[in-house]
Amino acid sequence: MKLWVSTLMVAWSGVLGCVQAEFFTSIGHMTDLIYAEKDLVQSLKEYILVEEAKLSKIKSWANKMEALTSKSAADPEGYLAHPVNAYKLVKRLNTDWPALEDLVLQDSAAGFIANLSVQRQFFPTDEDEMGAAKALMRLQDTYKLDPDTISKGELPGTKYQAVLSVDDCFGMGRSAYNEGDYYHTVLWMEQVLRQLDAGEEAAVGKAQVLDYLSYAIFQLGDLHRALELTRRLLSLDPSHERAGGNLRYFEHLLEEEREKLLSNQTEAVPATREDIYERPVDYLPERDVYESLCRGEGVKLTPRRQKRLFCRYHHGNRTPQLLIAPFKEEDEWDSPHIVRYYDVMSDEEIERIKEIAKPKLARATVRDPKTGVLTVASYRVSKSSWLEENDDPVVARVNRRMQHITGLTVTTAELLQSPCCGTLASYLYFKGDREDTWRHHAQKLWIKLLKLYPVVCSVQISTGRALPEHWNFWVLCKVMP
């Protein structure tokens, strides 16, 4: 299948927001971990072979000595009456057994440990594990998936089947717990209990899961259920000190609640409130609209509007370089007018840009509105490289090509950007600058919107690109890559 890179042009003075979306921020860097792990597996297998050969020698020696000592112990005096047997006994104890000791003490794991120590400095950190867990939770929230669906690997658009074990699900719940995210803690710890109840073996036990779950539910405000789970925990582990303390504390709170109800003579609050288990209201009011676009629930073109979309050859207002070989142009949306260009770059150019971009990948940053300092943000989970024309001739060729398509110059534009998305890359919507600033930098805006983005990695699931808010107007549409 031929690989192609498309560009989007918005013929409208607005903002194009990418819904694209440390190791977890870059699939390109995570692929290096695949090869590192493969190397470690090979090193481990070599260590196992050496250990097996060593144990084979020791086992052979043990069998030989067992047969010999059985014979000699049956008649020690008769056995030693033969001078050769007397000599061999002395030799074995003076030479052979010390040699066996040296064999047993040989550290055949040294090579593997050395390789592991070298690779370990490039291993992901706790931050990476947390970022990967948050990515799965983002997927869970955006597409309204339950933990059971994710744990079974039933994700549409994926090429490989991947399941989460009990311990994997527990890791998800614990990551959420450590972040104070009790909503996801409850969802994932309940999934752990379901898989344990189904008989799946795991290193984690029910008591440990109930410890996390009961406290998370208490934090959500369901005191009655927290008390019930704490009692269940103590039935499994009566010596659990923290659970004993929590039980007394919860009972005390319930007693205070009863006394307050009696004194106020008000109706009792239902023991379990289902609304507390709903996803917390987000601080960004537009997120519901944004996520609905990702799920394909946005405004769709009517048949009448679709009839106004065409394909054509684009020669850049009769640019000489494009008269013989114009670009393929396709309308994606009518208002604002969005078009896509096909076959803008060759496979060889793409691979070359990926090659020179990968070493320069750095976490995407945003400018802090208070301090003005560039900083990373949770809503931009990706890495990018910025390529200059003197980095490689292919960059200059691509820039010239963009000038031919747009009829504009790249001298006032950003450098060629090559992004690499991370685990469930997140690149949330954001508001543009002031209207007067956009007008002042009109040409820079156009070039930025038309900029090619040769991606350093590929993804199996894509939510497409959504056009976000422009001042007080929403463009509810999505463009798939």
Side-chain angles (χ1 to χ4, degrees), residues 348-362:
E348 292 75 17
E349 288 174 325
I350 293 171
E351 291 304 318
R352 179 55 184 161
I353 286 183
K354 288 167 62 176
E355 181 182 347
I356 62 177
K358 189 172 182 179
K360 295 186 175 186
L361 285 174

Side-chain angles (χ1 to χ4, degrees), residues 295-336:
R295 294 190 297 269
E297 300 170 1
V299 175
K300 295 179 174 58
L301 289 174
T302 63
R304 182 176 181 181
R305 292 173 65 185
Q306 286 179 341
K307 290 180 179 179
R308 294 199 292 264
L309 304 182
F310 298 95
C311 296
R312 66 189 68 82
Y313 283 106
H314 175 77
H315 52 71
N317 295 323
R318 302 192 63 79
T319 301
Q321 291 84 351
L322 302 185
L323 288 177
I324 297 178
F327 285 104
K328 301 171 186 175
E329 181 183 272
E330 178 185 7
D331 293 331
E332 290 281 357
W333 202 261
D334 55 354
S335 180

Side-chain angles (χ1 to χ4, degrees), residues 205-249:
K206 285 187 179 181
Q208 190 176 1
V209 179
L210 289 169
D211 189 19
Y212 280 93
L213 181 58
S214 60
Y215 186 76
I217 286 177
F218 167 70
Q219 288 293 329
L220 289 179
D222 192 345
L223 184 56
H224 292 81
R225 190 176 175 214
L227 179 61
E228 175 190 337
L229 291 173
T230 304
R231 286 172 176 163
R232 182 181 172 187
L233 166 57
L234 286 170
S235 69
L236 295 173
D237 184 5
S239 62
H240 200 292
E241 294 184 8
R242 183 169 54 252
N246 287 345
L247 179 64
R248 291 188 292 272
Y249 179 62

Side-chain angles (χ1 to χ4, degrees), residues 2 4-7 9 310-331 339-346 349 397-407 450 452:
K2 188 172 182 180
W4 51 266
V5 172
S6 64
T7 62
M9 182 173 73
F310 298 95
C311 296
R312 66 189 68 82
Y313 283 106
H314 175 77
H315 52 71
N317 295 323
R318 302 192 63 79
T319 301
Q321 291 84 351
L322 302 185
L323 288 177
I324 297 178
F327 285 104
K328 301 171 186 175
E329 181 183 272
E330 178 185 7
D331 293 331
V339 299
R340 184 194 300 269
Y341 292 105
Y342 291 90
D343 302 329
V344 174
M345 298 174 64
S346 66
E349 288 174 325
R397 286 204 305 271
V398 169
N399 280 344
R400 285 197 300 271
R401 202 168 298 153
M402 288 307 302
Q403 290 182 121
H404 296 157
I405 293 176
T406 64
L450 287 163
L452 277 172

Side-chain angles (χ1 to χ4, degrees), residues 112-124:
F112 170 70
I113 295 300
N115 188 19
L116 181 61
S117 299
V118 171
Q119 299 279 14
R120 194 178 183 86
Q121 60 184 317
F122 304 110
F123 277 11

